[in-house]
Amino acid sequence: MNNIEKINQVITEFYDKMSSWELSVVKETGYSLAQIHTIEVLGVHGSLKMKELAEKLGITTGTLTVQVEKLVNAQLVVRGSLPADRRAIVVQLTDAGMAIHRRHNLLHVDLFKTLMRDIEPDEAEVLLNCFVKMNREF
């Protein structure tokens, strides 16, 4: 097996384990995984146009509209328009949505502190650079 195949295997295994962890954590919140991912993106990037948010989530604006409606009804996000372009819908977290983002983000940070405890700082830097470069390819 060459290195590309090994990397593929290891990343796939990591993704499966991370997804399982994420599902177990999200289940406890009462919100769907899609809703939490929407909250995560808005928590990191701030208010976004619907089109921008859909692109960051990798979903259609139609699918996003359903998610946003649920989050609006739960009072976790608000929708608005831009003064310069009243047709563009902008979505942003409410204080309650931001609180969920902070709690969920802390769970991620705690998980990665545990996962990275045996990784040296120079190894962490290489890992970070590799993921940044790979993310650019998407």
Side-chain angles (χ1 to χ4, degrees):
M1 188 181 312
N2 66 39
N3 278 343
I4 296 293
E5 290 168 333
K6 289 177 186 174
I7 291 169
N8 176 61
Q9 186 177 6
V10 169
I11 287 178
T12 299
E13 181 181 349
F14 182 85
Y15 173 80
D16 290 342
K17 289 177 179 179
M18 184 75 185
S19 294
S20 178
W21 176 86
E22 186 83 17
L23 282 171
S24 69
V25 167
V26 167
K27 184 187 280 186
E28 297 172 7
T29 67
Y31 300 106
S32 73
L33 188 56
Q35 289 169 322
I36 294 296
H37 284 166
T38 302
I39 289 168
E40 282 180 313
V41 170
L42 289 170
V44 169
H45 297 284
S47 62
L48 293 169
K49 294 179 188 176
M50 288 284 285
K51 184 177 179 183
E52 294 169 330
L53 181 55
E55 287 171 0
K56 290 190 181 303
L57 290 167
I59 60 176
T60 66
T61 53
T63 300
L64 179 60
T65 298
V66 174
Q67 288 305 321
V68 168
E69 186 62 30
K70 290 176 184 177
L71 293 170
V72 167
N73 290 338
Q75 299 180 335
L76 300 177
V77 303
V78 291
R79 283 182 294 228
S81 59
L82 293 172
D85 183 1
R86 312 256 318 130
R87 295 170 296 159
I89 306 284
V90 176
V91 183
Q92 69 182 37
L93 293 176
T94 62
D95 289 343
M98 198 57 161
I100 289 173
H101 166 69
R102 282 192 297 272
R103 280 193 303 272
H104 190 77
N105 190 58
L106 280 175
L107 292 172
H108 279 265
V109 169
D110 288 344
L111 173 66
F112 275 90
K113 282 180 182 176
T114 300
L115 294 176
M116 304 278 297
R117 72 176 163 240
D118 294 329
I119 295 177
E120 298 297 324
D122 58 326
E123 293 173 313
E125 187 69 29
V126 169
L127 181 63
L128 175 62
N129 289 333
C130 288
F131 276 111
V132 166
K133 289 176 183 179
M134 287 189 289
N135 277 339
R136 282 190 208 131
E137 296 300 319
F138 286 104

